[in-house]
Amino acid sequence: MDRPDIHNRPDLCNRPDLYNLSFDALKDLLVSWGQPAFRAKQIRTQLYQKLSSDPAEMSDLPKALRERLATETHIGGLTLKRVFKGDGGLTRKALFAFPDGVVVEAVLMIYPKRATVCVSSQAGCPMGCVFCATAKLGHLHDLTPGMMVQQVLWAAREIEAVRAEFDPHDKAASRHRLTRDSLPTHLTNVVYMGMGEPFNNYDNWYGSVERLHDPDGFNMGARSFTVSTVGLVPGILKLAEAPLQINLAISLHTARDEERSALMPVNRKFPIADLMQAVRDYTAKTRRRVSFEYVLLAEKNDTPEEAEELADLLTRGGKMLCHVNLIPWNPVSGTNLARSTRGRVTAFRDILEARGISATIRIQRGADIDAACGQLAGSSA
Ligand code: SAH
């Protein structure tokens, strides 16, 4: 297998990661070992339904096969280093390491009847957005499909711990309106909004969705996935043609080209007009509503004029099938930016609403463990 990242662990170099194998590839591997093909089904059930992370747990397999799996494959290309708990245990961040020590993070967020995991698609990020902590790392590694699957299955497993440790009398429980009855029992949403740019690692990203979508495996509905992009036009157009109907979010952050280029270098390559054309093509083709993310930076892009310009952009040429997600900026050190005041944020939302554009303010999660949007940089709290 082509695993250029595993260069200092010769023991793992040639071992397939079971999460990285498509079902057909898993079957091929087992058949090449002289095993009956139904063993692949058993292993898929173990990995994706029983959430086993060790062949030793796969008690329905013969002992010799368990041992062979343990010595000749591995489960997950990353090593789980630590889990940080925030918001009274209702937000949890997992720190995973590559064999060379580079880390990536995944964040699990618990809501009434809903559990969302925010997944990283790259270690670091090549896109260079000036307001984002991950960008400061540069591009370190692309994640394989299996490494993205690994983060999701960690979250699915972690929900058990959340339920076991839940204290309905804790302040965090009432703040997030959670009771024992409304605690989610399983993972409901996967958002590719962690470290990295998914469309800069498109095939691996889409491969992870395919593996998790498999109805005989983890069986996550296509609509439970959301992918967020800085606005890579080729990726948007490719997704429009993809067989799975995944939700699309676009990090827009301003309706002004010059300002966007200063905040997000990608805008020099794909300016707003090109981006909006791609989004319109996408909604025309898929009939799906897109979300626009808009990080609010004090005195930069949070003025009433900018809200009007955003409304103009989203209504020009016919009203667009969209929703705006306003994100008050989370502080990142080493920048001269500031978070918008609450008043500015609600005023911005009100202007959009008045113009007939649905808009919500994203509730902050995980700031106490450096897990909020734009804060993922491999730090430990
Ligand atoms: N690269 C993709 C996926 C990351 S999603 C993308 O940019 O869309 C992470 C979201 O958080 C993006 O909308 C990003 O712009 C936003 N973000 C980045 N830094 C932030 C910060 N410091 N505070 C709040 N949101 C931030």
Side-chain angles (χ1 to χ4, degrees):
M1 236 182 177
D2 182 23
R3 291 288 299 279
D5 291 323
I6 298 182
H7 44 73
N8 61 352
R9 288 287 300 274
D11 54 325
L12 293 182
C13 276
N14 300 314
R15 289 210 223 169
D17 168 9
L18 294 183
Y19 290 149
N20 213 26
L21 300 180
S22 64
F23 181 63
D24 285 341
L26 177 63
K27 231 169 20 196
D28 290 349
L29 177 74
L30 287 157
V31 168
S32 79
W33 287 1
Q35 293 284 336
F38 70 83
R39 296 281 181 225
K41 285 193 181 165
Q42 286 179 299
I43 294 172
R44 175 170 61 184
T45 302
Q46 284 289 349
L47 294 173
Y48 292 100
Q49 293 178 1
K50 300 196 189 306
L51 306 180
S52 306
S53 56
D54 182 344
E57 297 166 17
M58 303 183 181
S59 53
D60 54 339
L61 300 183
K63 187 155 177 279
L65 178 56
R66 276 183 267 157
E67 283 170 1
R68 188 155 187 195
L69 286 169
T71 52
E72 294 183 33
T73 70
H74 58 116
I75 300 182
L78 301 168
T79 306
L80 178 62
K81 288 284 181 192
R82 248 189 100 170
V83 176
F84 300 93
K85 296 182 201 172
D87 294 325
L90 299 173
T91 301
R92 295 176 182 222
K93 177 171 88 169
L95 194 71
F96 293 94
F98 275 81
D100 66 358
V102 164
V103 295
V104 289
E105 295 164 322
V107 182
L108 170 66
M109 291 159 283
I110 304 293
Y111 307 92
K113 305 259 185 216
R114 191 157 62 88
T116 299
V117 63
C118 179
V119 174
S120 295
S121 56
Q122 296 179 312
C125 184
M127 305 317 297
C129 302
V130 301
F131 46 83
C132 179
T134 307
K136 311 235 174 290
L137 304 172
H139 181 206
L140 301 173
H141 294 300
D142 284 340
L143 269 65
T144 62
M147 291 171 177
M148 290 178 244
V149 166
Q150 184 176 6
Q151 296 171 63
V152 173
L153 297 185
W154 160 75
R157 244 178 259 123
E158 190 70 18
I159 289 175
E160 279 312 306
V162 173
R163 292 176 62 82
E165 294 163 23
F166 181 69
D167 174 2
H169 306 297
D170 190 81
K171 276 202 290 289
S174 60
R175 193 169 56 245
H176 297 296
R177 295 195 172 73
L178 271 154
T179 60
R180 247 189 219 298
D181 286 343
S182 65
L183 262 193
T185 54
H186 61 279
L187 199 64
T188 58
N189 298 83
V190 175
V191 301
Y192 290 86
M193 297 187 180
M195 299 166 90
E197 167 54 38
F199 287 176
N200 191 243
N201 188 20
Y202 188 101
D203 292 341
N204 284 353
W205 161 71
Y206 193 80
S208 74
V209 173
E210 284 178 321
R211 283 162 183 66
L212 294 163
H213 172 69
D214 180 356
D216 296 315
F218 195 61
N219 192 24
M220 194 91 184
R223 281 155 201 211
S224 311
F225 295 95
T226 301
V227 64
S228 180
T229 178
V230 286
L232 293 180
V233 165
I236 297 169
L237 299 178
K238 202 164 168 181
L239 184 61
E241 304 294 332
L244 295 176
Q245 295 261 300
I246 297 156
N247 299 307
L248 174 64
I250 309 277
S251 294
L252 186 59
H253 308 329
T254 168
R256 295 179 180 167
D257 257 317
E258 207 174 310
E259 191 169 270
R260 195 164 189 272
S261 294
L263 291 173
M264 307 173 74
V266 70
N267 195 63
R268 292 189 204 116
K269 189 149 184 216
F270 300 110
I272 294 173
D274 297 5
L275 172 59
M276 296 308 284
Q277 189 52 52
V279 174
R280 284 187 185 277
D281 291 350
Y282 172 89
T283 51
K285 171 100 198 158
T286 63
R287 311 237 159 258
R288 298 196 50 76
R289 183 174 90 155
V290 294
S291 312
F292 290 101
E293 292 151 292
Y294 196 108
V295 170
L296 286 157
L297 299 159
E299 306 304 327
K300 263 199 161 0
N301 64 354
D302 69 343
T303 60
E305 295 75 39
E306 283 241 19
E308 295 287 355
E309 287 172 40
L310 176 61
D312 291 344
L313 180 70
L314 300 182
T315 49
R316 198 176 297 146
K319 196 158 176 284
M320 199 171 215
L321 201 54
C322 71
H323 174 82
V324 176
N325 216 321
L326 298 170
I327 315 172
W329 181 69
N330 296 310
V332 171
S333 59
T335 65
N336 56 358
L337 302 166
R339 190 182 170 89
S340 299
T341 61
R342 188 77 201 169
R344 272 292 176 91
V345 174
T346 51
F348 202 96
R349 179 200 53 201
D350 294 345
I351 291 172
L352 295 176
E353 292 277 355
R355 297 278 305 268
I357 295 162
S358 96
T360 46
I361 299 165
R362 184 176 285 176
I363 305 161
Q364 191 191 47
R365 277 299 187 99
D368 53 343
I369 49 169
D370 278 346
C373 302
Q375 291 188 320
L376 299 183
S379 65
S380 31

